Amino acid sequence: MSVLDGYGDAHRLFLQSLVDHSMYTQDDALKLANTAAAQVKLTGLKSQSELVDFVGLINTKLKDLQMKVMSIKSQATKETHYALVNQVDDTAAEYATESDKAGIELYNLLIDAILSADGSISKGDAILCAREVKAARKSNTEVEECIVTWMAEGWLEYAGRSGKAAHITLGPRAMLELDTYMKDRQSEGEEIPVCPICSRLAIVGERCGSCTSKLCAPCFDTMHDKAQKKMRCPTCKAGWEGSHDEDAAGPAAGMAVAEDAAMDEDAPGPAAESDTPEPKRSSRRSGRSGR
């Protein structure tokens, strides 16, 4: 039998590991599903498209709980991630991490700073944000520790923009968990960029020179690669001004981190990816997704 024949223990093992680990890359999610299948002696998955079907079976069971396993492509690295997401409308102050009150306030301030800076801020800017925290003063070291933790959890990531050493932007988990919250802010009159192609938040991306549209980086890359002639804005149809920034993500992110580290030996580096853990057979945790 195959894990695609119906919901069962393999899906429960996958879901438990996703709750414990918070987020997986697409490749690791496929490995995890196949590890879970092997543990219950079922035929595993052969492709990413089968992973989508596997996750679909899980989501049929989560619907009544207002939870959903969702995927999103990082706007900085372009890598696809899977996470268990709370579907209930929440404010940013209620996101699922283990941060204390001061940490939650700091994260809210970072969101505002990233939006004001059109997509990313420097580590120095993040430290300045900490000075506005009213709950409790955090030292520079504590701020850096918060940033490292939030990067490991997917709430932040390095933007990797050319010429911007180790700039920080919202991570894939934030893009999933805070999507509704951010769009509510947009409906209230705030300038929150939403990609006109995929309708997701366009935090890291490219702006049209003729209108207010901003394409998220993955959609911009897709349009740029497919454009046989001059690329046109999907909103105003004007020819897209400017050239594509080839350093918007990928290797530049790593070089940016190294450049920042050279300027500040105490700067935190990006969290190293760990091996995919074995799915757990039992759970003593419940509640919302995340930490």
Side-chain angles (χ1 to χ4, degrees), residues 87-291:
Q87 297 276 275
V88 179
D89 293 350
D90 286 323
T91 65
E94 295 171 336
Y95 70 90
T97 73
E98 296 176 344
S99 296
D100 57 15
K101 185 177 180 180
I104 292 172
E105 186 179 349
L106 173 59
Y107 188 77
N108 276 299
L109 290 168
L110 293 181
I111 290 176
D112 291 339
I114 288 169
L115 291 174
S116 297
D118 200 24
S120 68
I121 59 174
S122 68
K123 187 181 69 176
D125 292 332
I127 291 173
L128 288 176
C129 286
R131 298 179 182 178
E132 300 179 33
V133 174
K134 297 178 181 178
R137 183 68 181 269
K138 284 187 176 292
S139 68
N140 291 358
T141 299
E142 289 175 323
V143 174
E144 291 177 352
E145 289 174 351
C146 285
I147 291 172
V148 170
T149 298
W150 290 332
M151 284 189 170
E153 294 177 345
W155 294 102
L156 296 174
E157 65 181 343
Y158 284 112
R161 286 182 167 186
S162 178
K164 293 187 176 182
H167 267 222
I168 297 164
T169 189
L170 297 183
R173 186 164 189 81
M175 301 293 284
L176 285 172
E177 291 272 9
L178 304 180
D179 183 78
T180 300
Y181 163 73
M182 300 287 271
K183 288 178 180 177
D184 284 346
R185 288 178 56 169
Q186 182 195 45
S187 66
E188 294 171 359
E190 288 193 55
E191 186 179 346
I192 309 291
V194 174
C195 178
I197 296 177
C198 67
S199 298
R200 291 190 183 274
L201 300 173
I203 305 301
V204 176
E206 302 288 341
R207 285 191 179 276
C208 174
S210 301
C211 71
T212 60
S213 285
K214 182 177 181 180
L215 274 63
C216 70
C219 286
F220 179 85
D221 286 347
T222 299
M223 280 193 65
H224 181 271
D225 293 341
K226 290 182 177 180
Q228 296 180 354
K229 297 182 180 180
K230 189 172 183 178
M231 181 175 156
R232 294 191 174 277
C233 173
T235 302
C236 70
K237 310 304 179 185
W240 198 276
E241 299 297 330
S243 59
H244 175 44
D245 181 3
E246 297 293 346
D247 294 328
M255 290 187 289
V257 173
E259 182 182 346
D260 188 73
M263 294 187 292
D264 181 359
E265 293 182 356
D266 296 327
E273 288 191 5
S274 59
D275 294 335
T276 304
E278 289 290 317
K280 298 180 181 180
R281 286 189 173 275
S282 63
S283 169
R284 289 180 290 180
R285 301 181 61 179
S286 62
R288 293 187 53 202
S289 62
R291 313 307 290 178

